[in-house]
Amino acid sequence: MSGPVLVTGAAGRIGTVLREGLPERGWPVRSLDVVAIAEPRPGEETVVADVTDLGALTAATQGAAAVVHLGGLSGESTWSAIAHANIEGTYCVLEAARRTGVRRVVLASSNHATGFTGRPASGPLGEHDGPSRPDTYYGVSKVTMEALGSLYADRYGLDVVCLRIGTQAPEPPTTRALATWLSPRDAVALVDAALRAPSPGFRVVWGVSANTRGWWDLTAARSLGYEPQDDAEVYADALVAAHGEPDPADPVHARVGGEFTLPGYDAEEQA
């Protein structure tokens, strides 16, 4: 692939990580967001546009080697806000790629696409063991993202890799994140693998680090070439001392979506 990787939502948390990490792995970056990118890096292209503006997005996608789609709302909101930013935005990203002949799209899905799925009695949870059981409108948008990705892969021949991202942060912020953490270094490695994997077709993979307490199966992600380097367990002593040992019966630890499955994350409470 030649040309830059278009990263939508590039001013956000994960976008900022990728803007630094992808060039180190040989990928020039074209960063797109609704706000101007502060302090662009040497060689970085920048575009101010909304992912729901198909015309602007098509122009921004022209000449790109691939698209990494992070843009949209990153948590629960009203149905109208989620449907516009996340569902319409994903359609526009995939349609812009189709129109411009870009063959590889990496979609930032989420564990919340299957948030009400419970922890298995034994063994890790594979992607096929985590059906569409969204925990919020936000989760519904990620189910729709995966469905649109599947459509564009099957109907139009795009390679589409959906990353069901766990808790991406510099350090795990909670005891739940001892299982779900995705470190910045591993986030870059995962996206790099999704960009490089030969002819993946349509894939859905978990996006977490090699956490000792993890219970989401990384086999599918590893098949892309992903080799995580970090483990949240190095933070366990401090987190357990502050918050106590996780209770496996607590829904926060027993369900994929954790806190998002609790009553406080009802859209009416988040509006």
Side-chain angles (χ1 to χ4, degrees), residues 111 114 117-120 122-130 162-166 179-182 190 203-224 226 228 256:
N111 64 96
T114 184
T117 298
R119 182 191 293 255
S122 62
L125 182 74
E127 290 78 6
H128 295 296
D129 301 319
C162 302
L163 310 177
R164 284 185 177 171
I165 295 171
T180 64
W181 184 50
L182 176 65
L190 179 60
R203 303 277 192 96
V204 177
V205 305
W206 292 114
V208 292
S209 290
N211 303 317
T212 297
R213 304 187 190 210
W215 49 281
W216 303 346
D217 191 355
L218 285 174
T219 300
R222 291 181 188 276
S223 74
L224 296 173
Y226 174 53
V256 169

Side-chain angles (χ1 to χ4, degrees), residues 150-191:
S150 177
L151 172 66
Y152 273 76
D154 289 338
R155 181 166 292 280
Y156 302 117
L158 273 63
D159 287 314
V160 180
V161 181
C162 302
L163 310 177
R164 284 185 177 171
I165 295 171
T167 307
Q168 202 293 304
E171 299 178 1
T174 63
T175 53
R176 173 180 179 266
L178 293 173
T180 64
W181 184 50
L182 176 65
S183 73
R185 174 168 59 172
D186 287 341
V188 173
L190 179 60
V191 172

